[in-house]
Amino acid sequence: MMCRCLKVSPSGYYDWERRLPSDRHVDNERLLRRIREIHEDSRGAIGAPRMHEDLSDAGETASKNRIARLMARDGLQGWPRKKKRGQRGRPGLPPPGVRNLLERDFNALEPETKWVTDITEFKTDEGKLFLCVVVDLFNKIVVGWSMHHRQDRQMVLRAIEMALWQRQGGWSVILHSDRGTQFRSGDYQRFLKQNALVCSMSAVGHCGDNAACEGFFGLLKRERTHHTKYRTLDIAKADIFDYIERFHNPRMRRRVARQDLKFSGVLKPSVESG
């Protein structure tokens, strides 16, 4: 009776019912399971573009549009960016002889040649928590970080010390920052000179001069902190530590390893059939 109502032949219905799933359908289900795993591991933060990056790093050849369709069908989506308010105030003049050495060139051909650093803040029920990071532009790994309830130069120096502890060579490294008071302090400038770090600073009112570091803060806030209410400073510190060391840095290391294999010829690029 259903076939008559829907104007479908009984033989066609039974053929459809017994038909095995197509290879495309099976592969979509396999890919969707992997997408769910990555999405859950990111706490629901990753959208289609970054999901495509992670899957490509894992050797998948699915296109970005295909991944977006599968995520939309399964009701999966990333967290949108929050709109930023305009900055208040203007930073002071840089120390004598310090200029912008990067000139917005955020590419590095080798590790430990260009570092960027900056400070951001997070709200908790106990007050503000400040985070300073040092990011290597070669692989976008956070090589140094420090957190404190006060935004002072000692917090900045601790983050740079952590980066220096992990440094493999003794050659000079460009360390770029904005013109915040912590970065213009005498202690900061002396510390850089003592450790073969070349100071570089953004121009006045040009936040794009340190876009690489701002980009990391944007990911951290969009993918973790903007959707979490922290009761204490310690809870916030633990969650930010988890994001940096258990999510972001391992992800960047896997991407670099994947690129190294591709460049060495171990992995050959393949073209998706559809």
Side-chain angles (χ1 to χ4, degrees):
M1 184 174 63
M2 289 180 61
C3 289
R4 289 197 303 271
C5 291
L6 297 175
K7 298 181 180 180
V8 175
S9 67
S11 60
Y13 166 75
Y14 289 120
D15 179 68
W16 169 83
E17 188 179 40
R18 292 190 294 265
R19 190 179 305 158
L20 295 176
S22 65
D23 293 341
R24 179 72 168 189
H25 178 81
V26 172
D27 192 56
N28 278 343
E29 292 300 314
R30 177 197 62 80
L31 187 60
L32 184 58
R33 288 193 295 270
R34 183 66 184 126
I35 289 173
R36 289 169 180 162
E37 292 173 0
I38 297 175
H39 195 261
E40 183 178 358
D41 185 58
S42 72
R43 301 187 185 183
I46 289 182
R50 296 198 72 199
M51 184 67 71
H52 176 255
E53 292 178 1
D54 281 6
L55 291 172
S56 297
D57 293 339
E60 297 286 351
T61 58
S63 68
K64 188 186 298 184
N65 288 338
R66 180 183 175 189
I67 292 170
R69 286 195 302 270
L70 292 176
M71 292 183 67
R73 191 187 74 185
D74 207 54
L76 302 176
Q77 59 183 1
W79 289 335
R81 296 185 180 183
K82 282 192 174 183
K83 294 183 178 179
K84 289 186 177 181
R85 296 181 179 178
Q87 293 184 345
R88 292 174 294 180
R90 290 168 68 88
L93 296 174
V98 175
R99 58 188 182 87
N100 188 346
L101 300 176
L102 292 188
E103 294 292 345
R104 300 196 181 188
D105 180 9
F106 302 119
N107 296 313
L109 300 179
E110 295 180 351
E112 300 177 7
T113 55
K114 296 179 182 179
W115 288 350
V116 291
T117 183
D118 203 355
I119 302 172
T120 192
E121 64 181 46
F122 307 93
K123 293 181 180 179
T124 77
D125 291 345
E126 290 184 341
K128 289 183 179 180
L129 175 67
F130 296 95
L131 167 69
C132 178
V133 299
V134 179
V135 179
D136 192 324
L137 293 181
F138 172 72
N139 46 27
K140 307 304 186 291
I141 289 176
V142 179
V143 294
W145 54 266
S146 177
M147 289 179 276
H148 197 50
H149 63 276
R150 287 196 303 270
Q151 185 179 194
D152 56 21
R153 60 180 177 273
Q154 295 303 321
M155 178 187 68
V156 173
L157 295 179
R158 286 194 298 270
I160 300 174
E161 283 177 343
M162 180 178 178
L164 292 172
W165 291 336
Q166 301 184 69
R167 185 166 63 170
Q168 302 296 318
W171 50 82
S172 62
V173 181
I174 295 175
L175 180 57
H176 184 82
S177 68
D178 60 20
R179 297 191 184 185
T181 56
Q182 300 82 5
F183 305 113
R184 290 185 288 114
S185 68
D187 290 344
Y188 176 85
Q189 293 297 322
R190 284 190 293 271
F191 184 82
L192 264 56
K193 292 178 181 178
Q194 293 168 0
N195 291 276
L197 297 173
V198 181
C199 185
S200 172
M201 284 191 173
S202 303
V204 175
H206 290 72
C207 59
D209 287 351
N210 203 13
C213 208
E214 294 289 350
F216 167 74
F217 286 150
L219 290 176
L220 167 59
K221 292 178 180 180
R222 185 171 78 249
E223 297 179 349
R224 184 65 60 92
T225 63
H226 274 168
H227 306 272
T228 307
K229 182 176 177 58
Y230 298 114
R231 291 186 295 105
T232 67
L233 292 169
D234 288 339
I235 292 175
K237 289 178 181 178
D239 196 39
I240 294 170
F241 168 85
D242 179 84
Y243 179 87
I244 293 174
E245 297 294 351
R246 294 190 64 252
F247 181 72
H248 176 80
N249 280 355
R251 186 170 179 267
M252 295 299 104
R253 291 189 181 100
R254 288 194 298 269
R255 181 170 300 175
V256 171
R258 174 75 180 176
Q259 290 174 348
D260 289 344
L261 289 173
K262 185 181 295 184
F263 291 147
S264 65
V266 175
L267 296 177
K268 296 182 179 179
S270 57
V271 179
E272 184 188 14
S273 57

